Every structure is written in structure tokens, then in C-alpha cells.
Amino acid sequence: MTALKQYQRIEATGLWRPSPDEQRREVVVSIGEATLTISDFNDSALTHWSLAALERQNPGAYPAIYCPDGDPGETLELAETETTMIKAIDRLQRAIDRARPHPGRLRWLSVAGVALAVVAVLLLWLPGALQRHVVSVVPEIKQQEIGDTILQRIERVSGKACNSPEAQDSLDRLAKRTGVRQIVILPAGLSNSLSLPGGTVLLNRALVEDHEDPAVAAGYVIAARARAAQQAPLDDLLDRTGPTTAFRLLTTGELTTEIVDTYTEEILAEPQPQISDDDLLAVFAQAALPSTPYAYAVDITGESVLGLIEADPMAGRTLEQVLPDRDWVRLQNICGQ
């Protein structure tokens, strides 16, 4: 022990009393490897005290009074002038204490580790697990209700959804042809297409008014479906608004106006997430719709959508008509002039 080597030759005089009934006597005190040796002036050892079990009865006061652990009746007094010996005892006791095992500290560290693990689970795993559970248990009718609420908030920006009795049947046929529950045409406020919880797909009016081929509008519906397959709209809503929204929806079945507004503002302001060509083509193939008209509507040069053109799942096949011409003309006029 480095600390011990520094003090091996230190000696001091003190007053030792074996018991409360005996007189104090002057002794010589010396430090051994792990003990304090008390001797008479003839160099005969009177007793040995373990440094690890040595207690000071009056910390900070003088004369310094020491006793063996558990035996306060046997004492050793060191005068204030024996500063070197007193400091040596203190330093060696600290060194011994650092070297010994500390089961309490280990226990505390174990408890702290378990607590940190629990906190990590709560912070990292629980929110995601709660969100997945909520998405899986919210019934379809409730998701449709949420989608309708979001649509009402979007209409504050876009204007009321286009509605025409003559064109509604055509719109329903397009929804059936593209495999979605409902399609809603908005006059503004939306860049192209968007899926809402409950199976509603929103389309900008330009997608039906500015294209002669109904396969273009159908393609944008397919793109919205592909994004919804990548992440369900309800899951996206909970992602954006946090675990408290998931908890509220699970316990009350309701969303606040603030939550809906926050989600609505974000989805209208941010660009739609990218979809890989493979994922998009898989949905086109499932719906038996061509991807080429959609691809050229996205990029008229075809350069950035070459994969959708070259791997069109309906290329060379007989195509089922997306909509009859009469239905498409009606649909193009759904927003009026």
C-alpha cells in the first residue's frame, strides 16, 4: 500500500487506558501494515488494534481519542502535537476503506441499473408499443370518423369539397376501381393526393380537370394507397402528435381540436413521403392499372420516373377501362366552372 510506506516509521506517544476502571498510562504508538501497535517504553507490545476497526470518538476535537470498534471503554489519547500520527491514521483508514468491498454501494448501483432499465423501457419501448396497439384496436368506423374530422379541418383551407349529384356516381366508380372506400375532390389546398384514416383519399381538382386520361387521377389514388400501406394514416397521426394522443384515443376514443389542427397543418405543409418504384408498382399491379400515365403526369419528360414507365405492370396487356368517357366527363365537371 503506497500510503503505508510513507508512514511505516512513524511513532508517537499517547495515553492508553485498557478499561474505564484503570489509570491511563503513557505509551508508544506505532503503525504496522494494518494495525496500530501500543507498546510500553521497554518496547513490549501491550495491545494491537486493527486500523480498519479503529474509531475516533471525537472527530475534530483534541486530544484525539480512539477506541477499538465495539469497545469504547479501551481508549488511546493522542495530543494535538502528534499531528503526523493523527493524519497518518486518518489517511490509512481512508485507504483501507477504499480497498474493502462496499456491498451497499453495489446494491445501490444494481437498483439504479434496474431503475434506468425500467425508465428506458418506458421511454423507448412503451410509446411505440402503445401506438401500435392503438392503431390495431381502433375500429374502422372510428377511423372513418377521425378521417371525416380531419377533412372538415382541411376544408377550412381548401374550401368545401366539390360535390355534384351528376358526378357522384362517377366518383364512386373511380373509388371502387382504385380500391379505396371514398374519393373526395378538393378545389385547393392540396398538392395532389392524400390518404386519411378510414380509407378516404383526397384529390386536387387539377388531377381530374387537367388530364384527358382518367388513369392519371387513378394513378394518384394508387400513390396515396401505396403511402398508406407504407404507414397507415392513423399511425402517421399518432407519430406526429405523440404518445399522449395515443393514450387519449385509447381511453376516451376522442381527439381534441388542437390535435387535429396540428396534424392537418403538418400534412398540408410538408411534401408527401417518397415511395419506392417497387412498392408503387406492386399496388398498380394489384389494381390492374397502368403506371405510365401517372408517371408522365409526375414528370412529363419521363426521366425521373423511368422505372414506372419501363416496368409498367399493364404494358402489353388488354386494359380494363378506368372509367367510361361519359363518367369521366361528368367527373371533370364536379367542381363546376
Side-chain angles (χ1 to χ4, degrees):
M1 185 186 299
T2 304
L4 177 62
K5 292 178 180 178
Q6 180 181 350
Y7 298 116
Q8 276 181 334
R9 300 183 182 279
I10 292 179
E11 290 186 347
T13 59
L15 296 175
W16 172 64
R17 181 167 60 182
S19 69
D21 299 332
E22 299 185 46
Q23 292 290 327
R24 294 180 300 174
R25 56 186 292 188
E26 194 171 14
V27 294
V28 176
V29 183
S30 59
I31 291 180
E33 184 173 347
T35 60
L36 196 69
T37 302
I38 300 174
S39 309
D40 60 21
F41 284 93
N42 294 322
D43 205 24
S44 297
L46 300 174
T47 187
H48 297 274
W49 289 358
S50 168
L51 285 170
L54 188 64
E55 289 186 0
R56 184 171 178 178
Q57 295 181 347
N58 60 341
Y62 294 96
I65 302 175
Y66 297 91
C67 68
D69 187 14
D71 186 9
E74 183 180 4
T75 61
L76 171 67
E77 297 180 17
L78 295 175
E80 188 173 2
T81 55
E82 301 293 353
T83 305
T84 303
M85 176 60 75
I86 293 171
K87 288 183 177 179
I89 292 172
D90 290 345
R91 182 174 178 186
L92 290 173
Q93 284 189 307
R94 288 196 299 269
I96 292 170
D97 185 64
R98 286 194 299 268
R100 70 173 62 171
H102 294 81
R105 185 180 303 168
L106 181 61
R107 189 179 305 113
W108 183 88
L109 289 174
S110 299
V111 171
V114 171
L116 286 173
V118 171
V119 170
V121 168
L122 292 177
L123 293 179
L124 301 177
W125 175 81
L126 186 59
L130 175 63
Q131 181 171 321
R132 289 190 295 272
H133 176 67
V134 171
V135 171
S136 68
V137 300
V138 174
E140 187 66 23
I141 188 68
K142 184 62 183 179
Q143 295 200 39
Q144 293 174 14
E145 180 185 320
I146 293 171
D148 291 342
T149 302
I150 295 171
L151 174 58
Q152 291 170 12
R153 308 307 287 179
I154 291 176
E155 285 179 323
R156 296 187 309 163
V157 177
S158 67
K160 281 289 184 181
C162 299
N163 185 23
S164 166
E166 295 79 12
Q168 189 58 49
D169 286 344
S170 301
L171 195 60
D172 292 342
R173 289 190 184 94
L174 182 62
K176 183 177 180 181
R177 181 68 181 85
T178 53
V180 297
R181 184 182 69 87
Q182 175 182 260
I183 296 174
V184 175
I185 309 294
L186 294 180
L190 185 68
S191 58
N192 44 69
S193 62
L194 176 69
S195 282
L196 299 181
T200 295
V201 172
L202 309 182
L203 290 181
N204 185 291
R205 66 184 294 179
L207 299 179
V208 295
E209 291 180 350
D210 296 351
H211 300 278
E212 295 303 319
D213 189 348
V216 172
Y220 277 96
V221 176
I222 294 301
R225 273 187 56 189
R227 285 192 293 268
Q230 199 170 62
Q231 183 179 29
L234 181 59
D235 189 41
D236 181 50
L237 185 153
L238 299 179
D239 245 0
R240 293 172 183 269
T241 56
T244 55
T245 301
F247 184 75
R248 173 185 290 273
L249 188 57
L250 183 65
T251 54
T252 68
E254 301 297 332
L255 297 177
T256 65
T257 301
E258 290 76 14
I259 291 172
V260 175
D261 284 348
T262 297
Y263 176 67
T264 301
E265 290 169 5
E266 288 190 11
I267 59 175
L268 291 181
E270 296 178 6
Q272 294 292 330
Q274 295 294 317
I275 320 163
S276 72
D277 286 353
D278 289 343
D279 290 341
L280 192 50
L281 287 167
V283 185
F284 272 106
Q286 183 184 28
L289 285 167
S291 58
T292 299
Y294 165 78
Y296 279 116
V298 172
D299 180 0
I300 195 170
T301 69
E303 292 180 2
S304 65
V305 289
L306 195 59
L308 297 178
I309 297 170
E310 292 183 342
D312 188 334
M314 302 307 293
R317 300 186 183 183
T318 302
L319 298 179
E320 178 187 347
Q321 195 174 22
V322 176
L323 278 180
D325 291 341
R326 184 178 60 180
D327 286 337
W328 179 236
V329 171
R330 287 176 178 173
L331 191 55
Q332 288 183 303
N333 294 313
I334 192 172
C335 294
Q337 298 300 326

